Amino acid sequence: MPEQLSLRTLNRTLLLRQRLNERVDMPAAELIRHLVAVQAQEPNWPYVGLWSRLSDFRPDELSGLLEDRTILRATTIRRTVHLTDAQDYRWLYPTVRPAIEPTLRSVHLRNATEGLDIPEFTSAGRELLTGATVSRRELGKLLSNRFPGREPRDLVHALGIIHPLVHHAAAGAWGAWRGRSVSVSLAEEVVGAPLAGGPVPEMLVRRYLAAYGPATAADIQEFAGVTRLAAVLNRMRASLRVLHDDSGRELFDLPDAVIAEPDLPAPVRFLPAFDNSCLGHRDRRRIIGDQDRARIAKIASGGVPMYLVDGFVHGRWDLDGSAIRVTPWHPLAAGDADALHAEAERLLPLLAPGEKGKLVIEKVAG
């Protein structure tokens, strides 16, 4: 009879695999490879996510990885900007590309692509970018000169769907909480090798399960933004471990992956907006309750930094000048408040270096 896992067991297993139960001593590049992709449309948030997981993380470590192209910043899973290992990008982008390509025909790009000679546009884009790194603004001007009457920004968006593009390291450097000017290059030139010739869903499944499992097919699809993985999992069934959650749903996992004990210690953690642990599943109750998720549904697309108490999302936090302002969604025990203060004291030198920061805990939100 397949093993049945409680919600608390799934929570502790997620913390363990996400390296959130205790900080680990490993290179930042290795952690990013483990997580598969780290959401990064806002430059600073990935740094906070790595800080929460690594015992001795410094921002210049990630900045250096972006500079030397060990880690790339580019659109991948969920059609969103993420950080990925350069060699992982070679298989990951082709795997999620079928979910990206339909955007070229979306209503949002209709004015840019309607009546456009796509082969000519594809060739022109490659010509402009070969051997070059070009700002998106400049690229838009160059494209609109060749294809007049179309919105430059939309032309750049369309070209990025046709040709996979990688952002220059400066776009992901530490220091900016909002987007900045982005320059792009052809991905294959940056990687220095051709991308995979097509999707590699089996690789996606195995790598996902190592960092997010056990999980359903719907969970993996939610993480990656792709579809039709149930058939892939059925093909792989003999090489995977099959479990169930406490509602009887089928969960897949790697056969040798560790399942955490439900009483595994779970320290307070500050999570960045868009943290992998909170976006890696269709059913996110293993880390955030449905009612709490509903609190932020209207603003979730803009990113909401949250914090964990006893392994689960307990509320949100924001940087207010040199202060960390916490908004609890549930009452805080005295010990939990003390733990929040201790963790905030560790985080503040990263967020507000050289300033005398503090933690402000608001009243419990209704």
Side-chain angles (χ1 to χ4, degrees), residues 170-318:
W174 171 252
W177 290 101
R178 293 295 173 190
R180 63 189 79 181
S181 176
V182 175
S183 296
V184 295
S185 305
L186 292 171
E188 289 190 359
E189 290 192 347
V190 173
V191 175
L195 306 187
V200 192
E202 294 82 4
M203 176 71 82
L204 172 65
V205 167
R206 292 190 184 93
R207 292 289 299 279
Y208 169 89
L209 291 177
Y212 303 86
T216 64
D219 289 329
I220 310 174
Q221 291 178 166
E222 183 78 7
F223 168 79
V226 300
T227 59
R228 301 179 181 177
L229 289 183
V232 176
L233 285 163
N234 279 330
R235 292 199 304 268
M236 299 175 66
R237 182 178 291 268
S239 64
L240 298 175
R241 184 180 184 185
V242 180
L243 306 162
H244 289 79
D245 65 12
D246 55 12
S247 66
R249 286 181 305 177
E250 194 171 57
L251 304 172
F252 294 90
D253 203 5
L254 299 177
D256 57 350
V258 175
I259 302 295
E261 295 296 328
D263 59 355
L264 181 75
V268 164
R269 286 288 182 264
F270 287 99
L271 301 179
F274 311 114
D275 192 76
N276 290 54
S277 62
C278 297
L279 296 180
H281 302 83
R282 172 72 59 82
D283 181 355
R284 299 175 188 171
R285 290 177 301 154
R286 68 182 69 192
I287 194 164
I288 180 171
D290 287 340
Q291 288 186 332
D292 288 338
R293 191 176 171 189
R295 293 173 187 266
I296 57 171
K298 292 182 179 180
I299 58 173
S301 62
V304 180
M306 296 176 281
Y307 69 92
L308 305 180
V309 169
D310 190 32
F312 291 89
V313 170
H314 188 274
R316 64 173 294 169
W317 67 276
D318 297 277

Side-chain angles (χ1 to χ4, degrees), residues 129-141:
L129 286 168
T130 296
T133 298
V134 185
S135 74
R136 288 198 296 205
R137 179 174 295 182
E138 179 62 21
L139 183 59
K141 291 179 181 178

Side-chain angles (χ1 to χ4, degrees), residues 9 84 111 189 349:
T9 296
T84 60
N111 291 338
E189 290 192 347

